[in-house]
Amino acid sequence: MKTIAIIQARQSSTRLPGKALMDLAGKPVIAHVVAAAQAIPGIDRAVVATTDQPADDALAAWCTAHGVPCHRGSEEDVLDRFLLAARAEQADIIIRLTGDCPLLDPWVAGSVVALRAARKLDYASNIAPATWPDGLDCEVFTRAALEAAAAEANRPMEREHVTPFLRDNRHRFRQECVIAPLPGLQAERWTLDEDKDFEFLSAVLARLPAKATPPSWMEVWAVLEANPDLRDINRKIVRNAGFAKTLRAEKAPAWRGAKVSGELLKRAEKVIPLGSQTFSKSHIQYPAGAPMFLTHGQGGRVWDVDGNCYVDLVSGLLPVVLGYQDPDVDQAIRSQLNNGISLSLATELETELAERLVEIIPCAEAVRFGKNGTDATSAAIRLARAFTGRDRVIACGYHGWQDWYIGATVRNKGVPGAVRELTHMAPYGDLDALQALFKAHPGEIAALIMEPMNAVEPAPGYLQQVKDIVHAHGALLVFDEVITGFRYALGGAQALFGVTPDLASFGKAMGNGMPISAVVGRADILHEMENIFFSGTFGGETLSLAASIAVIDKMKSQPVIERLWQMGDLLATETEALAAKHGLSDVVSMVGKAPWKIFAFKPHPQARVEAMKTLFSYHVMQNGVLLLASHNLCFAHTEDDLGVVLRAYDTAFGRLAEELATGKLEERLPCKAVEPIFKVR
């Protein structure tokens, strides 16, 4: 197996022209990179791949003068340039390096080479996720993978940046990543793209000990730890700005279909009812042809098994509040993984997280943990019944799948009639209906459990009036904050609206995707946990606890909630402006609070709501956005992400207006209309 390091370099850099041959610490930048590449363990040869443009004649001449093979090709189609070099060198394994990384560590690159070989991968890197300093980037892949990418990649950014096709198609190309040993290294910038980078690198190299071999990342780190002010030189430069610029210019990539998703769905349905573990993630909630299987997420985007990329406005059904692969949460999980996942006794993490919840949630005096929202709501109801000695409950909103709640909905199959009769539904905002239920069952109602807000803004004083009514009848008030918690405010809707319930359930965003929930509330009520039975093997599972602690700490130190409000308001305003542009203001609007805006489709003389929503979702999905019925934003969503969303909405609203004008929208639908599982809000 012949392993070749191909160094991608050119002189016509937009941000720093001529950088490859700039004198850095006494020799050209490219010389630093070549020396590091040649020192990578397991390498057979290091070559340079530059362009065939006159601007790179000097770079080619340097290579010739120093005995470094140089292959020249297209300036724009860098993927083709790599393939040309790989074929010329008869390479079996390719190491992709870039000429703007003069501090490249041969040991780090060698670790990526070793990982690929040991695991027999198609692609290995230290950038997915990025945990190393910007400037130590290394990707290793097989010649077969490169050939496939060169033959099939058709997006401009895939041709310019060589490996996105491989990274995006994880169902097809087996891949893994070398993770940095220290947290926070990804924030370091050791690359060369701008003048400030050159100033930084010159200062670092001047402080490194003189030796014949390339410096290790640990030596560079030691210099920066001794001289932390050096980091300020180029701290403000954004990582991967060139890649982001290419994506921005691309607008909407062509959708590659969902062929593999369809095949996997057929396979899954043979062994899994609906082919999914969750109703809202199954094919019955998406238009036919939509992606049914994802491979990975990064920031505010996800990729499906067919290699399509989407801005994700589902966010795992709201748990992903910080973004996929959030570095702080992932680091907390990795650190805890070294200590164990589910231990035989409790860990201090349980107390640490409980203390944080008591600090930030107004009603929390004591805490118990579960794994999902239904655990927390059901525990709250059992506590209320035990504390009051009553059996009946009133529900207002959606509260999970357990018998006590779901038995009162149309999805009550399998729930005994005696159980169904104990739960009564109350409409949100209707105090008279609430009073009537209490009067119809005097002294029998243990609690009212309600979402303090979903689509409808509570009228002034409404939540306090609800609390007064509930307490006047000797019952408990339970807020279901599974959605509103860690989204409306760090302490939930109760903190936002200033009304404190007796008990509350939290979940979803609490762990940024890790399975964890909590029932919190008055200590005297939570004391009943010693008498009722609410106990599960995984209640103290440590990875989720560590993740939740990291979520809370990040939300306290960074403007997470503020950004959700800001982006949510901007996206909702622009969405309604686009609906107006296409004459659809009477059909589509946004309701709810900015951090969780919900689409409200209104009946139209020519089409059912379900048909309109299906058509809209169909075209949004094909234009690069994964959407259910709401804006489930996360902290990692960027302005560029919102741009993709709004362009998709513009297209989808246009198609919706066109089809409504025909008067035959439903019969012209490209797929069957998606019907709701059952109506909650």
Side-chain angles (χ1 to χ4, degrees), residues 23 29 31 53-54 69 107 114 173 177 213 215 240 243 327 365 383 430 447 450 486 492 495 511 518 544 597 602:
D23 187 297
V29 170
Q53 299 300 302
W107 179 87
F173 300 106
C177 182
T213 57
N240 292 331
F243 185 66
E365 296 176 352
L383 279 171
D430 192 335
M450 68 181 300
F486 301 93
S544 297
K597 283 284 188 177
K602 303 166 189 173

PDB file of all heavy atoms in Angstrom, residues 23 29 31 53-54 69 107 114 173 177 213 215 240 243 327 365 383 430 447 450 486 492 495 511 518 544 597 602:
ATOM      1  N   ASP A  23       8.332  34.305   3.636  1.00  0.00           N
ATOM      2  CA  ASP A  23       9.411  33.899   4.532  1.00  0.00           C
ATOM      3  C   ASP A  23       8.898  33.880   5.966  1.00  0.00           C
ATOM      4  O   ASP A  23       8.564  34.912   6.535  1.00  0.00           O
ATOM      5  CB  ASP A  23      10.594  34.864   4.404  1.00  0.00           C
ATOM      6  CG  ASP A  23      11.800  34.373   5.193  1.00  0.00           C
ATOM      7  OD1 ASP A  23      11.687  34.269   6.429  1.00  0.00           O
ATOM      8  OD2 ASP A  23      12.844  34.079   4.587  1.00  0.00           O
ATOM      9  N   VAL A  29       6.919  29.328   3.849  1.00  0.00           N
ATOM     10  CA  VAL A  29       5.857  28.611   4.555  1.00  0.00           C
ATOM     11  C   VAL A  29       5.743  27.182   4.039  1.00  0.00           C
ATOM     12  O   VAL A  29       5.612  26.226   4.826  1.00  0.00           O
ATOM     13  CB  VAL A  29       4.514  29.353   4.391  1.00  0.00           C
ATOM     14  CG1 VAL A  29       3.361  28.502   4.912  1.00  0.00           C
ATOM     15  CG2 VAL A  29       4.556  30.695   5.110  1.00  0.00           C
ATOM     16  N   ALA A  31       7.918  25.267   2.907  1.00  0.00           N
ATOM     17  CA  ALA A  31       9.012  24.427   3.380  1.00  0.00           C
ATOM     18  C   ALA A  31       8.693  23.839   4.751  1.00  0.00           C
ATOM     19  O   ALA A  31       9.024  22.684   5.041  1.00  0.00           O
ATOM     20  CB  ALA A  31      10.303  25.239   3.440  1.00  0.00           C
ATOM     21  N   GLN A  53      -1.941  27.673 -13.151  1.00  0.00           N
ATOM     22  CA  GLN A  53      -1.945  29.095 -13.483  1.00  0.00           C
ATOM     23  C   GLN A  53      -0.544  29.693 -13.348  1.00  0.00           C
ATOM     24  O   GLN A  53       0.265  29.236 -12.523  1.00  0.00           O
ATOM     25  CB  GLN A  53      -2.912  29.837 -12.560  1.00  0.00           C
ATOM     26  CG  GLN A  53      -4.360  29.372 -12.671  1.00  0.00           C
ATOM     27  CD  GLN A  53      -4.907  29.563 -14.076  1.00  0.00           C
ATOM     28  OE1 GLN A  53      -4.913  30.689 -14.599  1.00  0.00           O
ATOM     29  NE2 GLN A  53      -5.340  28.479 -14.689  1.00  0.00           N
ATOM     30  N   PRO A  54      -0.255  30.736 -14.140  1.00  0.00           N
ATOM     31  CA  PRO A  54       1.074  31.375 -14.079  1.00  0.00           C
ATOM     32  C   PRO A  54       1.450  31.851 -12.681  1.00  0.00           C
ATOM     33  O   PRO A  54       2.627  31.863 -12.322  1.00  0.00           O
ATOM     34  CB  PRO A  54       0.932  32.560 -15.048  1.00  0.00           C
ATOM     35  CG  PRO A  54      -0.129  32.125 -16.014  1.00  0.00           C
ATOM     36  CD  PRO A  54      -1.088  31.309 -15.220  1.00  0.00           C
ATOM     37  N   PRO A  69       8.209  16.576  -5.533  1.00  0.00           N
ATOM     38  CA  PRO A  69       7.331  16.383  -6.701  1.00  0.00           C
ATOM     39  C   PRO A  69       6.164  17.370  -6.675  1.00  0.00           C
ATOM     40  O   PRO A  69       5.562  17.606  -5.618  1.00  0.00           O
ATOM     41  CB  PRO A  69       6.834  14.947  -6.536  1.00  0.00           C
ATOM     42  CG  PRO A  69       7.877  14.285  -5.686  1.00  0.00           C
ATOM     43  CD  PRO A  69       8.362  15.336  -4.753  1.00  0.00           C
ATOM     44  N   TRP A 107       3.228  13.833  14.311  1.00  0.00           N
ATOM     45  CA  TRP A 107       2.664  12.794  15.181  1.00  0.00           C
ATOM     46  C   TRP A 107       1.147  12.785  15.096  1.00  0.00           C
ATOM     47  O   TRP A 107       0.527  11.713  15.056  1.00  0.00           O
ATOM     48  CB  TRP A 107       3.112  13.032  16.621  1.00  0.00           C
ATOM     49  CG  TRP A 107       2.550  12.016  17.570  1.00  0.00           C
ATOM     50  CD1 TRP A 107       3.076  10.804  17.890  1.00  0.00           C
ATOM     51  CD2 TRP A 107       1.324  12.122  18.308  1.00  0.00           C
ATOM     52  NE1 TRP A 107       2.262  10.143  18.783  1.00  0.00           N
ATOM     53  CE2 TRP A 107       1.177  10.926  19.056  1.00  0.00           C
ATOM     54  CE3 TRP A 107       0.332  13.096  18.415  1.00  0.00           C
ATOM     55  CZ2 TRP A 107       0.087  10.699  19.894  1.00  0.00           C
ATOM     56  CZ3 TRP A 107      -0.753  12.869  19.252  1.00  0.00           C
ATOM     57  CH2 TRP A 107      -0.867  11.686  19.979  1.00  0.00           C
ATOM     58  N   ALA A 114      -2.667   6.055  11.176  1.00  0.00           N
ATOM     59  CA  ALA A 114      -2.752   4.778  11.896  1.00  0.00           C
ATOM     60  C   ALA A 114      -4.199   4.382  12.152  1.00  0.00           C
ATOM     61  O   ALA A 114      -4.553   3.195  12.056  1.00  0.00           O
ATOM     62  CB  ALA A 114      -1.989   4.888  13.214  1.00  0.00           C
ATOM     63  N   PHE A 173     -19.241   5.739   3.196  1.00  0.00           N
ATOM     64  CA  PHE A 173     -17.808   5.698   3.463  1.00  0.00           C
ATOM     65  C   PHE A 173     -17.571   5.561   4.967  1.00  0.00           C
ATOM     66  O   PHE A 173     -17.923   6.440   5.746  1.00  0.00           O
ATOM     67  CB  PHE A 173     -17.126   6.968   2.941  1.00  0.00           C
ATOM     68  CG  PHE A 173     -17.286   7.192   1.468  1.00  0.00           C
ATOM     69  CD1 PHE A 173     -18.148   8.174   0.993  1.00  0.00           C
ATOM     70  CD2 PHE A 173     -16.594   6.410   0.552  1.00  0.00           C
ATOM     71  CE1 PHE A 173     -18.313   8.382  -0.365  1.00  0.00           C
ATOM     72  CE2 PHE A 173     -16.751   6.612  -0.810  1.00  0.00           C
ATOM     73  CZ  PHE A 173     -17.614   7.591  -1.269  1.00  0.00           C
ATOM     74  N   CYS A 177     -12.694   9.549  13.653  1.00  0.00           N
ATOM     75  CA  CYS A 177     -11.929  10.766  13.892  1.00  0.00           C
ATOM     76  C   CYS A 177     -10.994  10.596  15.081  1.00  0.00           C
ATOM     77  O   CYS A 177     -11.338   9.932  16.063  1.00  0.00           O
ATOM     78  CB  CYS A 177     -12.894  11.932  14.133  1.00  0.00           C
ATOM     79  SG  CYS A 177     -12.102  13.526  14.396  1.00  0.00           S
ATOM     80  N   THR A 213      13.901  18.888  13.695  1.00  0.00           N
ATOM     81  CA  THR A 213      12.594  18.274  13.436  1.00  0.00           C
ATOM     82  C   THR A 213      11.464  19.281  13.654  1.00  0.00           C
ATOM     83  O   THR A 213      11.614  20.238  14.422  1.00  0.00           O
ATOM     84  CB  THR A 213      12.381  17.066  14.363  1.00  0.00           C
ATOM     85  OG1 THR A 213      12.500  17.508  15.726  1.00  0.00           O
ATOM     86  CG2 THR A 213      13.417  15.991  14.075  1.00  0.00           C
ATOM     87  N   PRO A 215       8.187  21.099  15.108  1.00  0.00           N
ATOM     88  CA  PRO A 215       7.701  21.154  16.493  1.00  0.00           C
ATOM     89  C   PRO A 215       6.440  20.309  16.672  1.00  0.00           C
ATOM     90  O   PRO A 215       5.645  20.148  15.749  1.00  0.00           O
ATOM     91  CB  PRO A 215       7.403  22.637  16.700  1.00  0.00           C
ATOM     92  CG  PRO A 215       7.091  23.144  15.327  1.00  0.00           C
ATOM     93  CD  PRO A 215       7.994  22.379  14.398  1.00  0.00           C
ATOM     94  N   ASN A 240     -12.380  28.350   9.271  1.00  0.00           N
ATOM     95  CA  ASN A 240     -12.960  27.841   8.027  1.00  0.00           C
ATOM     96  C   ASN A 240     -13.817  28.885   7.305  1.00  0.00           C
ATOM     97  O   ASN A 240     -14.884  28.573   6.770  1.00  0.00           O
ATOM     98  CB  ASN A 240     -13.801  26.587   8.288  1.00  0.00           C
ATOM     99  CG  ASN A 240     -12.948  25.405   8.711  1.00  0.00           C
ATOM    100  OD1 ASN A 240     -11.785  25.302   8.329  1.00  0.00           O
ATOM    101  ND2 ASN A 240     -13.518  24.521   9.509  1.00  0.00           N
ATOM    102  N   PHE A 243     -14.469  27.998   3.589  1.00  0.00           N
ATOM    103  CA  PHE A 243     -15.484  26.973   3.372  1.00  0.00           C
ATOM    104  C   PHE A 243     -16.880  27.566   3.539  1.00  0.00           C
ATOM    105  O   PHE A 243     -17.788  27.296   2.749  1.00  0.00           O
ATOM    106  CB  PHE A 243     -15.268  25.828   4.359  1.00  0.00           C
ATOM    107  CG  PHE A 243     -16.192  24.661   4.156  1.00  0.00           C
ATOM    108  CD1 PHE A 243     -16.121  23.901   3.007  1.00  0.00           C
ATOM    109  CD2 PHE A 243     -17.122  24.328   5.119  1.00  0.00           C
ATOM    110  CE1 PHE A 243     -16.976  22.817   2.816  1.00  0.00           C
ATOM    111  CE2 PHE A 243     -17.977  23.252   4.942  1.00  0.00           C
ATOM    112  CZ  PHE A 243     -17.903  22.497   3.790  1.00  0.00           C
ATOM    113  N   PRO A 327     -19.024  21.337  21.540  1.00  0.00           N
ATOM    114  CA  PRO A 327     -17.738  20.907  22.110  1.00  0.00           C
ATOM    115  C   PRO A 327     -17.740  20.793  23.623  1.00  0.00           C
ATOM    116  O   PRO A 327     -17.082  19.902  24.178  1.00  0.00           O
ATOM    117  CB  PRO A 327     -16.760  21.989  21.623  1.00  0.00           C
ATOM    118  CG  PRO A 327     -17.602  23.162  21.240  1.00  0.00           C
ATOM    119  CD  PRO A 327     -18.894  22.583  20.765  1.00  0.00           C
ATOM    120  N   GLU A 365     -37.151  22.776  44.935  1.00  0.00           N
ATOM    121  CA  GLU A 365     -36.507  22.615  46.240  1.00  0.00           C
ATOM    122  C   GLU A 365     -35.872  21.232  46.348  1.00  0.00           C
ATOM    123  O   GLU A 365     -34.955  21.022  47.138  1.00  0.00           O
ATOM    124  CB  GLU A 365     -37.534  22.793  47.357  1.00  0.00           C
ATOM    125  CG  GLU A 365     -38.123  24.195  47.417  1.00  0.00           C
ATOM    126  CD  GLU A 365     -39.213  24.329  48.462  1.00  0.00           C
ATOM    127  OE1 GLU A 365     -39.627  23.296  49.036  1.00  0.00           O
ATOM    128  OE2 GLU A 365     -39.656  25.460  48.691  1.00  0.00           O
ATOM    129  N   LEU A 383     -46.796  11.661  42.277  1.00  0.00           N
ATOM    130  CA  LEU A 383     -46.528  12.420  43.498  1.00  0.00           C
ATOM    131  C   LEU A 383     -47.770  13.181  43.958  1.00  0.00           C
ATOM    132  O   LEU A 383     -48.102  13.198  45.152  1.00  0.00           O
ATOM    133  CB  LEU A 383     -45.390  13.420  43.248  1.00  0.00           C
ATOM    134  CG  LEU A 383     -43.957  12.895  43.301  1.00  0.00           C
ATOM    135  CD1 LEU A 383     -42.991  13.965  42.806  1.00  0.00           C
ATOM    136  CD2 LEU A 383     -43.591  12.476  44.727  1.00  0.00           C
ATOM    137  N   ASP A 430     -59.211  28.778  29.221  1.00  0.00           N
ATOM    138  CA  ASP A 430     -60.630  28.790  29.598  1.00  0.00           C
ATOM    139  C   ASP A 430     -60.772  28.532  31.101  1.00  0.00           C
ATOM    140  O   ASP A 430     -60.839  27.385  31.553  1.00  0.00           O
ATOM    141  CB  ASP A 430     -61.382  27.730  28.792  1.00  0.00           C
ATOM    142  CG  ASP A 430     -62.891  27.868  28.901  1.00  0.00           C
ATOM    143  OD1 ASP A 430     -63.365  28.432  29.907  1.00  0.00           O
ATOM    144  OD2 ASP A 430     -63.595  27.399  27.978  1.00  0.00           O
ATOM    145  N   ALA A 447     -54.482  17.122  40.834  1.00  0.00           N
ATOM    146  CA  ALA A 447     -53.608  18.122  40.221  1.00  0.00           C
ATOM    147  C   ALA A 447     -54.120  18.549  38.863  1.00  0.00           C
ATOM    148  O   ALA A 447     -54.852  17.811  38.181  1.00  0.00           O
ATOM    149  CB  ALA A 447     -52.191  17.561  40.079  1.00  0.00           C
ATOM    150  N   MET A 450     -50.252  21.192  33.231  1.00  0.00           N
ATOM    151  CA  MET A 450     -50.448  22.005  32.038  1.00  0.00           C
ATOM    152  C   MET A 450     -49.111  22.477  31.472  1.00  0.00           C
ATOM    153  O   MET A 450     -48.132  22.639  32.205  1.00  0.00           O
ATOM    154  CB  MET A 450     -51.315  23.230  32.355  1.00  0.00           C
ATOM    155  CG  MET A 450     -50.643  24.244  33.273  1.00  0.00           C
ATOM    156  SD  MET A 450     -51.688  25.674  33.682  1.00  0.00           S
ATOM    157  CE  MET A 450     -52.009  26.362  32.067  1.00  0.00           C
ATOM    158  N   PHE A 486     -35.305  25.511  29.671  1.00  0.00           N
ATOM    159  CA  PHE A 486     -34.039  25.685  28.964  1.00  0.00           C
ATOM    160  C   PHE A 486     -34.230  26.258  27.561  1.00  0.00           C
ATOM    161  O   PHE A 486     -33.365  26.126  26.706  1.00  0.00           O
ATOM    162  CB  PHE A 486     -33.258  24.370  28.873  1.00  0.00           C
ATOM    163  CG  PHE A 486     -32.936  23.772  30.214  1.00  0.00           C
ATOM    164  CD1 PHE A 486     -33.786  22.834  30.779  1.00  0.00           C
ATOM    165  CD2 PHE A 486     -31.818  24.170  30.911  1.00  0.00           C
ATOM    166  CE1 PHE A 486     -33.515  22.291  32.027  1.00  0.00           C
ATOM    167  CE2 PHE A 486     -31.539  23.632  32.168  1.00  0.00           C
ATOM    168  CZ  PHE A 486     -32.390  22.690  32.726  1.00  0.00           C
ATOM    169  N   GLY A 492     -37.147  28.155  32.852  1.00  0.00           N
ATOM    170  CA  GLY A 492     -38.406  27.758  32.247  1.00  0.00           C
ATOM    171  C   GLY A 492     -39.425  28.869  32.167  1.00  0.00           C
ATOM    172  O   GLY A 492     -39.170  30.027  32.516  1.00  0.00           O
ATOM    173  N   ALA A 495     -40.168  30.968  35.248  1.00  0.00           N
ATOM    174  CA  ALA A 495     -39.285  32.110  35.483  1.00  0.00           C
ATOM    175  C   ALA A 495     -39.660  33.276  34.585  1.00  0.00           C
ATOM    176  O   ALA A 495     -39.622  34.433  35.002  1.00  0.00           O
ATOM    177  CB  ALA A 495     -37.835  31.704  35.246  1.00  0.00           C
ATOM    178  N   GLY A 511     -30.383  18.120  28.282  1.00  0.00           N
ATOM    179  CA  GLY A 511     -29.119  17.410  28.065  1.00  0.00           C
ATOM    180  C   GLY A 511     -28.561  17.569  26.677  1.00  0.00           C
ATOM    181  O   GLY A 511     -27.658  16.835  26.290  1.00  0.00           O
ATOM    182  N   ALA A 518     -36.303  15.568  34.501  1.00  0.00           N
ATOM    183  CA  ALA A 518     -36.355  15.768  35.943  1.00  0.00           C
ATOM    184  C   ALA A 518     -37.746  16.201  36.364  1.00  0.00           C
ATOM    185  O   ALA A 518     -38.415  16.951  35.650  1.00  0.00           O
ATOM    186  CB  ALA A 518     -35.339  16.828  36.368  1.00  0.00           C
ATOM    187  N   SER A 544     -25.427  11.358  30.829  1.00  0.00           N
ATOM    188  CA  SER A 544     -26.489  12.351  30.688  1.00  0.00           C
ATOM    189  C   SER A 544     -26.409  13.402  31.783  1.00  0.00           C
ATOM    190  O   SER A 544     -26.674  14.587  31.547  1.00  0.00           O
ATOM    191  CB  SER A 544     -27.856  11.665  30.706  1.00  0.00           C
ATOM    192  OG  SER A 544     -27.995  10.791  29.602  1.00  0.00           O
ATOM    193  N   LYS A 597     -41.359  29.023  17.732  1.00  0.00           N
ATOM    194  CA  LYS A 597     -42.465  29.488  16.909  1.00  0.00           C
ATOM    195  C   LYS A 597     -43.073  28.309  16.138  1.00  0.00           C
ATOM    196  O   LYS A 597     -42.357  27.462  15.593  1.00  0.00           O
ATOM    197  CB  LYS A 597     -41.987  30.551  15.921  1.00  0.00           C
ATOM    198  CG  LYS A 597     -41.782  31.923  16.533  1.00  0.00           C
ATOM    199  CD  LYS A 597     -43.113  32.620  16.775  1.00  0.00           C
ATOM    200  CE  LYS A 597     -42.921  34.059  17.198  1.00  0.00           C
ATOM    201  NZ  LYS A 597     -44.203  34.779  17.359  1.00  0.00           N
ATOM    202  N   LYS A 602     -54.107  27.990   8.122  1.00  0.00           N
ATOM    203  CA  LYS A 602     -55.546  28.206   8.270  1.00  0.00           C
ATOM    204  C   LYS A 602     -56.292  27.589   7.095  1.00  0.00           C
ATOM    205  O   LYS A 602     -55.752  27.485   5.989  1.00  0.00           O
ATOM    206  CB  LYS A 602     -55.827  29.710   8.348  1.00  0.00           C
ATOM    207  CG  LYS A 602     -55.079  30.396   9.484  1.00  0.00           C
ATOM    208  CD  LYS A 602     -55.096  31.897   9.336  1.00  0.00           C
ATOM    209  CE  LYS A 602     -54.175  32.563  10.349  1.00  0.00           C
ATOM    210  NZ  LYS A 602     -54.044  34.025  10.123  1.00  0.00           N
TER     211      LYS A 602
END
